[in-house]
């Protein structure tokens, strides 16, 4: 298909969007301009609350009763969207313009089957037959790697996992081959391996049909992989824009540079080159400072210049084309090398082994009432969530457990916490076998010694209790302090440790941001002086700036108290930065384990190799081999014989992989790889991630060098 890329598909000029509340007008977006051509991809990045999603809602004309466009205009194919009637907008939405939302359950109707919701798109917008609509829906579900599309079509949204729901939403958005695709954090709920496949699929459809894309994300690695240009937003304004190469190689605005300093790139080191969180918080829309909105958080702020008046966008290059920046001092600023030596921390030495996991198993019974099961008498089957797990964790050490959803990471955490009992094997903590001891049967000392930081603090904080009450309850429960005055002092010290203001002791969760809630969750986990903390995806839903602050906070507390940290995650960028040792799991089994430096360099298990390839890295000076896994994770009810990974392995040898359990290669000191491929052959594999020197034309220190 020949695409005219000269004529803009979407033109946004000086856009202003406000919401009206009892407190008055809330200016959410100011002076926003963007031009998007057919087939082009543009990324919108910035912290939560900066106005990214509001721009997308403005394009869709979904601003609610209390929101509206107060300035500028949005043109789609030359038509001002604000002038269109309800019928014209309905024709555009889902047909010409589609949107993929961050929360799939908010985009899916819980009372309708997936088939009804998917087929509605081509039926309404293209008038095709029911048979064709069903056939296209099935084909699209297969394209986004959903196993058993027929079963999913007959399912309701609540019967699917979060990742499957997100893939259904993506399928729905792509069904009518829209001209413009708006993607609001489209891969947040997906594993990195699935994310890589979905991003590739969207890019393929874009090339085929000339679909323009507006990516909204805090994942700068994803933006680098998918977009041609990028707009960095802060407090409702674009503060920098340009090609991905220009902005990532030479950021001109201090805020853009601050975002890069928060990302755990391959060159970062938690001791020698730690992350540098952006201090302070985003200003409220109705309390923006005079002049530069970023001024109160900027290390380069100069009174009398930065707060003199409104700051306009300026072209970086003399021809006025390309990179632009909203900063009065961008010509004077010379950024020092990122992650400089002034923040070097002393490396903590791991101590004695505190956690022994030996041949640990966790099976769940499933009743099978099918005709075949009844005839054979095999009506009881088992979900093998964990199979023969073996690893150790030491005092003051961080051990990361990584793998796709369904690999058994969280199941192991439940057994460790006493929420489930193990089926076989042992979990010994400080010499005591706790694998068969349920949480209600554990002593107060055992309960306080093992605590957890959960992925979603909204689900784990009591909305009716203040922050002080929630943390103080733990202090009393575990006998750390009994006297009310001492309990309060302990709570205040914990708030100091997690860097929250002391007056937050009186606040309730609804009055806090996502990052602040997660800090409360961390304070609560450490309130009982635990020896072991399990952190289950604690930063996956946070902005990069908050993510960096929470990550550094966890390490600071660990250094101070000598806590052992089990970090469960699918984000290998964070894992590489944070962990001392890594355990790679697949379908309930350990494929590889070892020190972080060993796991990230050859030899790799083929599954580890695929995980490393799938991780987006926000560094234009990194070369990465592409490995896309075919198929999906097999069922834990009926796992493959032999090596569990052989159904998806790009290096499969043959029958031996299908029929025999793989041997465990000793690749180094405590580096174990479970694979039939000879170790010497695995050593000859090229590194997945390789750094290359920055180009000669970059004069300023690169933010990702």
């Amino acid at each position: 298909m020949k695409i005219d890329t000269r004529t803009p598909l979407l033109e946004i000029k000086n856009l202003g969007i406000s919401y009206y509340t009892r407190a008055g007008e809330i200016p959410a977006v100011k002076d926003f301009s963007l031009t998007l051509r057919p087939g082009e991809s543009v990324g919108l990045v910035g912290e939560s609350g900066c106005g990214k999603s509001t721009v997308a809602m403005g394009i869709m004309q979904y601003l609610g009763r209390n929101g509206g466009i107060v300035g500028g205009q949005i043109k789609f194919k030359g038509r001002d969207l604000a002038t269109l009637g309800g019928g014209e907008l309905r024709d555009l939405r889902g047909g010409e313009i589609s949107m993929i939302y961050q929360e799939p359950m908010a985009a899916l109707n819980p009372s309708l089957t997936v088939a009804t919701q998917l087929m509605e798109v081509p039926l309404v917008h293209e008038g095709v037959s029911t048979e064709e609509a069903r056939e296209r829906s099935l084909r699209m579900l297969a394209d986004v790697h959903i196993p058993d599309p027929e079963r999913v079509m007959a399912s309701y949204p609540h019967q699917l996992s979060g990742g499957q729901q997100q893939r259904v939403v993506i399928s729905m958005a792509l069904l009518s081959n829209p001209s413009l695709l708006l993607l609001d954090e489209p891969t947040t709920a997906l594993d990195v391996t699935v994310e890589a496949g979905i991003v590739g699929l969207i890019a393929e459809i874009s090339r085929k049909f000339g679909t323009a894309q507006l990516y909204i994300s805090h994942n700068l690695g994803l933006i680098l992989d998918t977009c041609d240009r990028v707009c960095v937003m802060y407090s409702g304004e674009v503060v920098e824009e340009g090609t991905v190469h220009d902005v990532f190689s030479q950021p001109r605005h201090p805020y853009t540079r601050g975002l890069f300093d928060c990302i755990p790139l391959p060159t970062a080191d938690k001791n020698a080159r730690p992350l540098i969180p952006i201090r302070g918080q985003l200003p409220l829309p109705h309390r923006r400072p005079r002049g530069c909105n970023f001024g109160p958080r900027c290390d380069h702020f100069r009174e009398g210049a930065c707060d003199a008046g409104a700051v306009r966008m300026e072209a970086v290059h003399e021809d006025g084309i390309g990179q632009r920046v909203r900063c009065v001092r961008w010509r004077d600023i010379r950024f020092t090398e990122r992650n400089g030596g002034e923040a070097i921390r002393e490396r903590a030495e791991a101590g004695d082994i505190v956690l022994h996991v030996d041949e640990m198993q966790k099976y769940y019974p499933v009743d099978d009432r099918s005709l075949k099961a009844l005839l054979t008498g095999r009506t009881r089957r088992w979900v093998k969530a964990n199979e023969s797990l073996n690893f150790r964790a030491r005092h003051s050490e961080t051990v990361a457990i990584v793998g796709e959803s369904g690999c058994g990471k969280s199941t192991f955490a439940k057994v460790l916490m006493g929420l489930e009992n193990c089926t076989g094997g042992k979990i010994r903590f400080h010499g005591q076998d706790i694998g068969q001891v349920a949480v209600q049967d554990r002593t107060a000392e055992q309960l306080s010694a093992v605590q957890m930081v959960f992925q979603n603090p909204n689900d784990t904080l009591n909305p009716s209790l203040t922050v002080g009450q929630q943390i103080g309850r733990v202090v009393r429960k575990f006998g750390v302090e009994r006297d009310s005055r001492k309990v309060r002092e302990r709570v205040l010290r914990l708030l100091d440790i997690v860097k929250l203001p002391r007056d937050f002791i009186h606040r309730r969760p609804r009055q806090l941001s996502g990052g602040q809630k997660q800090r409360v969750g961390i304070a609560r986990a450490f309130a009982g002086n635990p020896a072991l903390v399990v952190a289950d995806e604690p930063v996956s839903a946070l902005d990069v700036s908050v993510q960096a602050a929470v990550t550094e906070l966890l390490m600071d507390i660990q250094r101070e108290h000598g806590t052992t940290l089990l970090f469960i995650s699918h984000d290998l960028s964070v894992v590489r930065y944070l962990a001392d040792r890594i355990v790679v799991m697949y379908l309930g089994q350990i494929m590889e384990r070892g020190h972080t430096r060993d796991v990230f360099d050859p030899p790799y298990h083929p599954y580890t190799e695929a995980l490393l390839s799938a991780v987006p890295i926000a560094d234009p000076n990194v070369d990465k081999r592409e490995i896309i896994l075919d198929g999906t994770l097999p069922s834990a009810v009926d796992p493959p014989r032999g090596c569990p990974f052989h159904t998806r392995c790009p290096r499969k040898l043959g029958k031996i992989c299908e029929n025999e359990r793989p041997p465990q290669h000793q690749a180094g000191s405590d580096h174990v790889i479970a694979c039939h491929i000879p170790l010497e052959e695995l050593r000859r594999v090229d590194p997945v991630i390789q750094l290359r020197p920055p180009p000669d034309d970059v004069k300023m220190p690169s933010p990702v060098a």
Side-chain angles (χ1 to χ4, degrees), residues 406-467:
C407 74
K409 306 186 300 292
S410 295
T411 298
F412 170 73
K414 290 177 183 179
V415 175
L416 181 61
M417 297 299 298
L419 302 176
E420 303 275 2
N421 289 346
C422 64
T423 307
K426 293 183 177 181
I427 299 178
R428 287 180 294 143
F429 180 63
H430 284 309
Q432 296 179 320
D433 186 0
I434 60 173
Q436 295 284 353
V437 184
V439 64
Q440 61 267 25
D441 298 324
R442 294 188 179 183
T443 65
E445 291 76 15
Q446 288 174 327
L447 289 173
S448 64
V450 183
Q451 288 293 297
M452 192 162 184
V453 179
F454 296 90
Q455 178 176 2
N456 190 349
N458 290 319
D459 295 338
T460 56
L461 294 178
N462 190 325
S464 63
L465 298 181
T466 65
V467 168

Side-chain angles (χ1 to χ4, degrees), residues 615-636:
V615 177
I617 299 175
D619 189 340
N621 297 321
V622 165
D623 287 322
K624 189 176 62 173
R625 283 194 293 116
E626 184 177 283
I627 302 169
I628 302 296
L629 292 180
D630 293 327
T632 57
L633 201 72
S635 170

Side-chain angles (χ1 to χ4, degrees), residues 345-366:
R345 297 187 175 99
E346 184 177 346
R347 186 177 299 274
E349 294 298 328
D352 296 332
I353 297 174
V354 297
L355 180 70
H356 295 75
V357 181
D358 296 305
E359 299 297 328
M360 180 259 173
Q361 297 174 323
K362 178 58 186 177
Y363 296 171
Y364 294 96
V366 176

Side-chain angles (χ1 to χ4, degrees), residues 168-484:
V168 168
V169 171
I170 291 170
S171 299
M172 194 181 303
L174 296 174
L175 263 172
S176 280
N177 300 323
S179 301
L180 174 61
L181 187 60
L182 309 177
L183 304 102
D184 191 355
E185 301 283 7
T187 58
T188 297
L190 303 180
D191 291 313
V192 288
T193 51
V194 177
E195 177 183 84
I198 294 296
V199 166
L201 171 70
I202 294 172
E204 179 185 338
I205 292 174
S206 176
R207 288 191 297 268
K208 184 176 179 180
F209 297 102
T211 307
Q213 301 167 65
L214 185 63
Y215 268 92
I216 296 170
S217 182
H218 65 259
N219 186 338
L220 291 170
L222 178 66
I223 297 298
L224 179 61
D225 286 347
T226 57
C227 295
D228 307 305
R229 293 187 293 119
V230 61
C231 295
V232 182
M233 290 191 69
Y234 183 81
S235 190
E237 297 178 331
V238 173
V239 296
E240 186 164 2
E241 65 175 347
T243 66
V244 165
H245 176 269
D246 287 345
V247 174
F248 277 63
S249 297
Q250 268 186 287
R252 307 287 184 166
H253 198 284
Y255 177 63
T256 311
R257 179 54 184 261
L259 290 178
F260 282 115
D261 282 345
C262 293
I263 301 172
L265 299 173
T267 51
D269 182 280
K270 66 179 181 180
N271 297 304
R273 297 167 66 87
L275 303 182
I276 306 174
I278 302 174
R279 58 184 173 84
Q281 296 179 22
L282 204 73
L284 295 174
H286 57 292
R287 294 181 180 175
R288 293 184 175 113
R290 176 177 171 81
C292 177
N293 289 334
F294 188 59
R297 304 172 71 186
C298 183
D299 294 332
H300 305 276
F301 178 82
R302 181 173 293 174
E303 192 173 348
C306 299
D307 56 358
V311 183
R312 302 295 179 188
M313 294 287 283
E314 292 186 39
V316 171
H317 305 291
E318 292 182 0
D319 58 11
I321 300 174
Q323 197 171 359
R324 300 197 307 154
V325 62
R326 193 186 299 270
C327 178
V328 297
R329 298 198 61 228
W330 69 268
R331 292 181 181 84
D332 307 326
I333 297 172
R334 291 294 180 266
F335 297 120
T336 56
E337 184 182 5
R338 77 180 302 277
N339 296 333
E342 71 277 4
I344 289 178
R345 297 187 175 99
E346 184 177 346
R347 186 177 299 274
E349 294 298 328
D352 296 332
I353 297 174
V354 297
L355 180 70
H356 295 75
V357 181
D358 296 305
E359 299 297 328
M360 180 259 173
Q361 297 174 323
K362 178 58 186 177
Y363 296 171
Y364 294 96
V366 176
D367 290 329
D368 187 350
R369 296 297 175 184
S370 66
L371 179 61
K372 180 180 178 180
L374 292 172
L375 291 174
T376 59
R378 299 176 62 182
T379 57
R380 173 60 61 90
R381 304 174 73 186
W382 297 91
V383 176
K384 298 181 178 181
N386 290 150
E387 181 70 51
S388 301
L389 301 189
N390 291 282
F391 68 91
R392 307 285 184 264
R394 298 177 179 274
H395 179 76
S396 296
E397 185 178 50
T398 300
V399 177
I401 304 177
V402 302
E404 295 170 285
S405 298
C407 74
K409 306 186 300 292
S410 295
T411 298
F412 170 73
K414 290 177 183 179
V415 175
L416 181 61
M417 297 299 298
L419 302 176
E420 303 275 2
N421 289 346
C422 64
T423 307
K426 293 183 177 181
I427 299 178
R428 287 180 294 143
F429 180 63
H430 284 309
Q432 296 179 320
D433 186 0
I434 60 173
Q436 295 284 353
V437 184
V439 64
Q440 61 267 25
D441 298 324
R442 294 188 179 183
T443 65
E445 291 76 15
Q446 288 174 327
L447 289 173
S448 64
V450 183
Q451 288 293 297
M452 192 162 184
V453 179
F454 296 90
Q455 178 176 2
N456 190 349
N458 290 319
D459 295 338
T460 56
L461 294 178
N462 190 325
S464 63
L465 298 181
T466 65
V467 168
Q469 290 170 330
Q470 303 198 49
I471 300 174
R473 180 178 181 273
V474 178
V475 176
R476 291 189 183 91
K477 179 78 174 177
F478 296 138
V480 178
E481 298 289 355
R482 297 291 186 185
D483 181 75
S484 296

